[in-house]
Amino acid sequence: MPKLLIIADDLTGAIDTGAQFAEQQISTLILPELSKDEEGPFDCEVLVINTETRHCTPSNAADAVLCAAAFGQKHGIQHFYKKTDSTLRGNLGAEFQALMNATREKRLFFVPAFPRLQRVTRKGRQYVNGVELHRSEFGNDPLNPILTSDISILLEQQAQLPTHLLAADPNDVSELTDEGVYIFDCESEADIRSIAATLHKVRPLTNLAGSAGFAPSLKDLLQLNASIPKAVLDVAARTLVVNGSLNPVARRQLTFAARNGFIITQINPSELVRDGASGEMARAKITENILQTMRSEKTVILTTDADFCSSDGVTAMLAIANRVGELASAIVSKAGPLLLIVFGGDTLSSITRSLHCKRIIPMAEVLPGIALSRLETRESRLFVVSKAGGFGAEDILPVILESLRRFQQ
């Protein structure tokens, strides 16, 4: 029976967090969505549920978290970790309030930072690469623009939650009994360790929240058992890279890849979303062209046109991400054994839905913020490397491919 439930609002975040436990040889299972007929059993220490609520309304996000928490309680789980994006996108306030309502616990301890990715919390404000969050590229995120770096203000925009700012090494949080969210400053891995040591004194330790950066500390904090072997990857001869992210960081990474010999196929978004027979024919032609290219190239990259304008709004962008995922799924189904690398959580979710994937096994952390997992589909098992679009150096793709060598038999 699982001891810990992770509730994530997008799939790349769910997998990235699950990989932190797999790295420590803790058995972990990810549900890419919580279906009504899901009953278990779950033979794992850690269960991860993706609520897919990053882009929905606060009300719908709260309902999804309530359902996930109730599901965890039904299976006897007593510890909950609300995984948050390290750039604070999504419905944090509404989801925290929902988790606190579900557990009837008046306190929630929040560690927003991910120091290994240069996302830190200083005096209650979030920074990315030394820049205040709202002044970074995430301030203009096309789907989730961030208008403030003040975490308390961001939470209060969605819920009437009291907030309390804490240093990374407060004296004794066990004596803090006021209701609300306790936000920890955190700028380094040493701070992560100090926070974990502090939280050892808290009982009951029911509600936690934070990025994937704090997740490794939960092994000792919650006394999780290590029982699975280290990951081994039977690397396929071919690799398909699918980018569904519009973030400028991802675009720079593709530009670097193109300059260094990687084959990139750019798709006109209008061909992806076109209705009727002509649209189906256009997408079938794209699929066949990529399959043909993969017969002669070891690594092929699929992405939307770099000149695509996001002015049509969230609905249009999500529709395109869904179609990119469907297209990638069609290629995967016909290409035979391959390794799939996906940039962007919305695209990864579309791929799992199209492949009817109900369970995902996280295997390892390839690099900070980049995870290796195995998708359990109707036909086969598919190895996937996933990352969010908005981080990483421009040479991230060749670095990922080189890093995968350590998992080879």
Side-chain angles (χ1 to χ4, degrees):
M1 182 177 71
K3 293 180 180 178
L4 170 66
L5 176 63
I6 310 286
I7 304 175
D9 69 351
D10 85 327
L11 192 51
T12 52
I15 294 175
D16 182 22
T17 309
Q20 308 304 312
F21 300 99
E23 274 289 318
Q24 299 178 91
Q25 297 179 269
I26 299 168
S27 59
T28 306
L29 174 66
I30 299 168
L31 303 181
E33 62 178 359
L34 184 58
S35 61
K36 294 180 180 179
D37 58 353
E38 181 64 71
E39 291 293 336
F42 304 108
D43 185 18
C44 59
E45 284 281 285
V46 178
L47 181 65
V48 186
I49 294 176
N50 170 39
T51 56
E52 201 65 20
T53 50
R54 174 75 56 85
H55 311 306
C56 72
T57 65
S59 176
N60 287 342
D63 288 344
V65 169
L66 281 171
C67 288
F71 184 82
Q73 290 169 324
K74 173 183 174 182
H75 289 274
I77 298 175
Q78 297 180 350
H79 301 289
F80 299 85
Y81 188 76
K82 179 65 199 70
K83 191 274 175 186
T84 60
D85 177 58
S86 58
T87 60
L88 307 182
R89 293 170 294 174
N91 295 286
L92 276 64
E95 295 186 345
F96 287 2
Q97 184 70 76
L99 178 58
M100 295 168 74
N101 289 344
T103 61
R104 298 182 181 179
E105 173 60 46
K106 297 184 180 299
R107 297 179 301 172
L108 182 146
F109 298 96
F110 183 27
V111 188
F114 199 154
R116 288 187 296 155
L117 296 186
Q118 307 304 313
R119 282 95 188 266
V120 304
T121 311
R122 185 181 305 135
K123 295 183 178 179
R125 301 181 72 85
Q126 197 78 343
Y127 292 78
V128 176
N129 296 320
V131 178
E132 281 194 280
L133 178 60
H134 74 284
R135 300 183 187 277
S136 72
E137 291 174 329
F138 294 95
N140 297 316
D141 185 277
L143 293 175
N144 296 103
I146 302 296
L147 304 180
T148 178
S149 302
D150 188 307
I151 299 169
S152 292
I153 291 176
L154 190 146
L155 294 178
E156 290 165 2
Q157 289 173 348
Q158 295 182 357
Q160 298 300 312
L161 283 172
T163 56
H164 315 278
L165 302 183
L166 298 176
D169 55 349
N171 291 328
D172 190 356
V173 296
S174 65
E175 296 180 359
L176 302 176
T177 57
D178 290 343
E179 179 178 348
V181 177
Y182 289 83
I183 304 167
F184 284 93
D185 279 351
C186 179
E187 301 189 48
S188 66
E189 288 301 304
D191 285 347
I192 292 280
R193 292 190 291 272
S194 293
I195 294 167
T198 296
L199 289 175
H200 263 292
K201 306 170 186 177
V202 177
R203 292 295 181 272
L205 193 54
T206 305
N207 295 333
L208 294 160
S211 74
F214 189 69
S217 301
L218 300 180
K219 177 181 184 292
D220 294 332
L221 196 56
L222 303 179
Q223 298 182 323
L224 303 174
N225 296 317
S227 61
I228 61 173
K230 286 286 187 180
V232 175
L233 174 63
D234 183 9
V235 180
R238 293 171 297 174
T239 301
L240 175 64
V241 182
V242 181
N243 173 57
S245 174
L246 299 175
N247 192 287
V249 172
R251 294 297 178 185
R252 289 195 290 270
Q253 292 163 349
L254 295 185
T255 299
F256 179 91
R259 289 201 308 262
N260 287 270
F262 287 85
I263 303 300
I264 295 183
T265 298
Q266 289 189 342
I267 307 167
N268 186 328
S270 64
E271 294 183 339
L272 286 176
V273 298
R274 189 188 308 166
D275 293 326
S278 63
E280 292 181 8
M281 289 179 60
R283 291 186 288 275
K285 184 177 180 181
I286 294 169
T287 299
E288 185 53 43
N289 287 342
I290 293 174
L291 289 170
Q292 183 66 34
T293 303
M294 292 184 71
R295 294 185 182 105
S296 58
E297 300 292 337
K298 186 175 181 180
T299 303
V300 176
I301 301 173
L302 169 66
T303 186
T304 54
D305 191 329
D307 294 328
F308 168 65
C309 178
S310 61
S311 59
D312 289 338
V314 173
T315 301
M317 287 185 283
L318 291 179
I320 290 169
N322 285 336
R323 282 294 173 85
V324 172
E326 292 169 2
L327 192 63
S329 301
I331 296 167
V332 166
S333 298
K334 296 179 181 179
L338 56 75
L339 172 70
L340 185 63
I341 300 177
V342 182
F343 294 2
D346 299 317
T347 302
L348 182 59
S349 289
S350 176
I351 290 172
T352 58
R353 287 193 300 270
S354 298
L355 292 175
H356 304 287
C357 171
K358 299 299 183 184
R359 298 192 175 194
I360 299 173
I361 309 299
M363 298 176 63
E365 184 180 59
V366 178
L367 295 164
I370 301 173
L372 170 67
S373 61
R374 189 178 73 236
L375 272 58
E376 305 286 341
T377 71
R378 288 179 177 177
E379 290 83 19
S380 62
R381 295 177 173 181
L382 175 66
F383 290 110
V384 177
V385 174
S386 55
K387 84 169 190 73
F391 80 92
E394 65 175 14
D395 64 346
I396 194 66
L397 183 54
V399 171
I400 288 173
L401 294 174
E402 179 62 29
S403 297
L404 287 171
R405 295 181 182 274
R406 75 180 175 96
F407 301 106
Q408 296 182 28
Q409 291 178 323

